[in-house]
Amino acid sequence: MNITIIGTGYVGLVTGTCFSEMGNEVYCVDVIEEKIESLKKGIVPIYEPGLKELIDTNYKIGNLHFTTNLEEGLNNSEICFIAVGTPMGEDGSADLQYVREVAKEIGQTITHDMIVVDKSTVPVGTADEVKNIINKELNKRGQNYKVTVVSNPEFLKEGNAVQDFMRPERIIVGTDDNDAKEYMKELYEPFTKNHDRMIIMDIRSAEMTKYASNSMLANRISFMNEMANICDKIGANIDEVRKGMGSDSRIGHSFLYPGCGYGGSCFPKDVTALIKTAKDNDYDAILLKSVETVNNNQKHYISKKIKSVLGDDLSDYTFAIWGLAFKPETDDMREASSIIIIKDLLEAGATINAYDPKAMDTAKNFYLKDSDINYYEDKYSVLHDADAIVLVTEWKEFRSPNFDKIKTLLKQPLIFDGRNQYNNKLMKKLDFKYYAVGK
């Protein structure tokens, strides 16, 4: 099949590349010429395991094209995916300006019938709006092409996106058009050979499924963080509580890990957007508001813990930050807890050393570019002249470090663990002063 992907951000690039890997001819379109030229040279703007290798291979054999020319893509395709950004607006809603602009351009450009797929995370009702915009532009041109708008939300976990796309747990398709149903089944058939993972529903339910899924996961995280905070107060160990809870099949073990708050491009934005959607429809989403409040507070948990141990004035202390990305296996720092923690510590007068395997350029150039931070190239050199480790991102290389070496490098054996990576008994045996979340 010939496919056009509009937008070469995280979702668009992974989607287009994985479709091309199955033999489809894919045109990835973006308005940013510099990004397109970089992709043609094999320079990938995001870090995602396995993605660059697939891009290089499929671009070389001609399955994958990069262009700024939307007409080129649409003229050669039967289906196009809208995968542009939907950032949070000032009022908390998803900002649809880029989606609307693309819909308008599609209506101005297509020369035949087209299936248009909303891949971006968009509020309920967006598919109807996209179809109206496209048809309005077609009417201006005196054209009557059939345009079918389908909702096909993405469920990609950063750091595992390629595997998630190639071996999906589910494929949600929202449409009431039989031809579109069959087309989407054929398109995704190579990804569902073991068993059918496609769930077809009405468009609005498909749009809602994405928000409901992310909000549920965010809810579990905030719930466990709240339980951890209570454990902190009463002397219980959240790790033991988590094991006891997870053994109940109705609860399960997934997403029961407390920490210093969730971040990234999805959970914070989607929870806020769903709260706004509820408000716009005269419903007060009390639970979702609480999820958001707990998460915002949790990002200050580690800095408050540090101050409770060392005092409010941290001007005599240097902290080695292990991890900057919002999660492992990505360089994404959007809404990362590290940003809040570091700024809290700097405001208290602390000196900050930082290391992350992938996100340091992101920190230097964007999210922490105005902060006075010393960056180091590995997890041990960052301990130079440091009083304590502050573990923020649970990268694998932090799981089993050389604790004897750490003790010789730190001024004192002190760890503040925002991701509960280590065992209390081990830390006590090694004579570390160890502070984690809820234990």
Side-chain angles (χ1 to χ4, degrees):
M1 294 184 181
N2 290 351
I3 305 167
T4 292
I5 309 289
I6 305 173
T8 59
Y10 184 84
V11 173
L13 201 52
V14 173
T15 300
T17 302
C18 290
F19 277 140
S20 72
E21 176 69 6
M22 291 302 177
N24 298 291
E25 187 163 357
V26 179
Y27 294 83
C28 288
V29 181
D30 203 292
V31 295
I32 303 174
E33 189 169 345
E34 182 181 354
K35 182 190 286 190
I36 292 298
E37 291 305 313
S38 293
L39 286 166
K40 289 179 179 179
K41 296 174 184 175
I43 302 171
V44 181
I46 59 172
Y47 173 73
E48 181 63 41
L51 181 60
K52 177 173 168 42
E53 293 79 3
L54 292 182
I55 290 174
D56 290 345
T57 298
N58 287 285
Y59 182 72
K60 184 176 181 180
I61 64 177
N63 282 352
L64 189 59
H65 309 271
F66 298 108
T67 180
T68 57
N69 188 340
L70 180 60
E71 186 176 358
E72 177 186 358
L74 293 179
N75 285 349
N76 290 288
S77 302
E78 306 94 23
I79 184 170
C80 72
F81 285 75
I82 299 177
V84 295
T86 53
M88 190 187 303
E90 292 183 4
D91 62 353
S93 63
D95 187 345
L96 295 178
Q97 62 172 317
Y98 303 117
V99 173
R100 294 182 180 116
E101 288 172 8
V102 166
K104 185 175 181 179
E105 289 181 40
I106 291 171
Q108 294 169 344
T109 306
I110 57 173
T111 56
H112 51 265
D113 295 348
M114 182 72 66
I115 296 174
V116 177
V117 182
D118 279 336
K119 198 69 174 171
S120 303
T121 301
V122 293
V124 175
T126 300
D128 294 336
E129 184 177 357
V130 167
K131 186 170 184 177
N132 290 337
I133 292 171
I134 294 173
N135 284 334
K136 182 178 179 180
E137 295 303 317
L138 288 175
N139 290 337
K140 290 179 182 178
R141 296 167 54 198
Q143 301 293 345
N144 193 32
Y145 302 124
K146 179 185 177 182
V147 174
T148 305
V149 179
V150 175
S151 175
N152 176 219
E154 55 87 13
F155 295 94
L156 306 176
K157 299 185 292 291
E158 291 195 43
N160 200 55
V162 172
Q163 289 301 311
D164 285 345
F165 200 101
M166 301 298 277
R167 297 177 178 84
E169 292 181 331
R170 80 285 210 196
I171 300 166
I172 303 297
V173 173
T175 183
D176 54 6
D177 184 274
N178 289 329
D179 290 338
K181 290 178 186 177
E182 294 306 312
Y183 199 99
M184 295 298 284
K185 286 180 181 178
E186 184 180 350
L187 178 62
Y188 277 107
E189 193 272 338
F191 303 94
T192 61
K193 282 191 175 293
N194 289 340
H195 64 272
D196 187 9
R197 297 178 178 87
M198 183 172 286
I199 303 172
I200 298 176
M201 59 186 71
D202 64 273
I203 294 175
R204 289 184 172 234
S205 295
E207 292 171 330
M208 182 62 180
T209 298
K210 169 68 174 181
Y211 282 102
S213 297
N214 279 352
S215 295
M216 180 62 187
L217 295 173
N219 184 34
R220 284 175 73 100
I221 294 171
S222 281
F223 178 83
M224 287 308 294
N225 283 335
E226 186 133 282
M227 293 303 101
N229 295 344
I230 295 173
C231 285
D232 235 2
K233 298 291 185 182
I234 64 175
N237 186 326
I238 190 61
D239 277 352
E240 301 302 326
V241 174
R242 174 181 59 80
K243 293 172 186 175
M245 291 173 58
S247 62
D248 187 327
S249 61
R250 295 169 300 173
I251 298 172
H253 293 283
S254 297
F255 268 73
L256 287 186
Y257 292 89
C260 48
Y262 60 76
S265 63
C266 294
F267 290 3
K269 177 172 68 72
D270 292 353
V271 170
T272 301
L274 190 51
I275 291 170
K276 179 62 167 57
T277 295
K279 181 180 179 181
D280 290 344
N281 289 274
D282 198 28
Y283 183 80
D284 186 13
I286 299 171
L287 177 59
L288 291 180
K289 287 180 179 179
S290 297
V291 168
E292 189 173 58
T293 298
V294 169
N295 189 61
N296 291 337
N297 291 339
Q298 198 69 12
K299 291 183 178 182
H300 297 279
Y301 176 94
I302 286 295
S303 55
K304 288 181 178 179
K305 176 67 72 173
I306 291 170
K307 290 177 183 178
S308 72
V309 175
L310 301 176
D312 291 337
D313 182 2
L314 300 176
S315 56
D316 292 331
Y317 294 97
T318 297
F319 297 94
I321 307 296
W322 274 7
L324 297 168
F326 87 92
K327 64 179 288 188
E329 300 300 332
T330 182
D331 59 354
D332 194 345
M333 285 185 62
R334 283 174 286 185
E335 303 288 338
S337 299
S338 62
I339 299 170
I340 302 298
I341 293 168
I342 288 172
K343 289 184 176 180
D344 281 351
L345 296 179
L346 287 172
E347 286 177 6
T351 299
I352 300 296
N353 297 348
Y355 165 69
D356 186 285
K358 296 295 179 183
M360 289 200 293
D361 285 343
T362 306
K364 293 175 188 176
N365 297 327
F366 298 101
Y367 297 98
L368 295 168
K369 65 179 181 179
D370 296 323
S371 299
D372 186 11
I373 298 172
N374 306 309
Y375 293 96
Y376 290 82
E377 293 304 316
D378 64 76
K379 65 177 179 285
Y380 295 120
S381 63
V382 75
L383 306 183
H384 173 71
D385 206 31
D387 294 278
I389 291 173
V390 182
L391 196 158
V392 183
T393 312
E394 62 274 33
W395 286 93
K396 289 180 181 177
E397 68 174 270
F398 300 149
R399 290 183 183 177
S400 298
N402 185 331
F403 288 108
D404 289 334
K405 185 174 182 178
I406 290 171
K407 287 178 77 172
T408 65
L409 293 171
L410 285 175
K411 290 180 180 178
Q412 56 182 315
L414 178 58
I415 298 176
F416 295 95
D417 185 354
R419 297 299 177 186
N420 287 17
Q421 291 295 284
Y422 308 129
N423 182 279
N424 280 7
K425 291 180 180 179
L426 174 63
M427 292 292 97
K428 186 175 182 180
K429 181 180 178 181
L430 294 173
D431 291 324
F432 272 87
K433 296 177 182 177
Y434 179 64
Y435 301 90
V437 182
K439 62 178 187 176

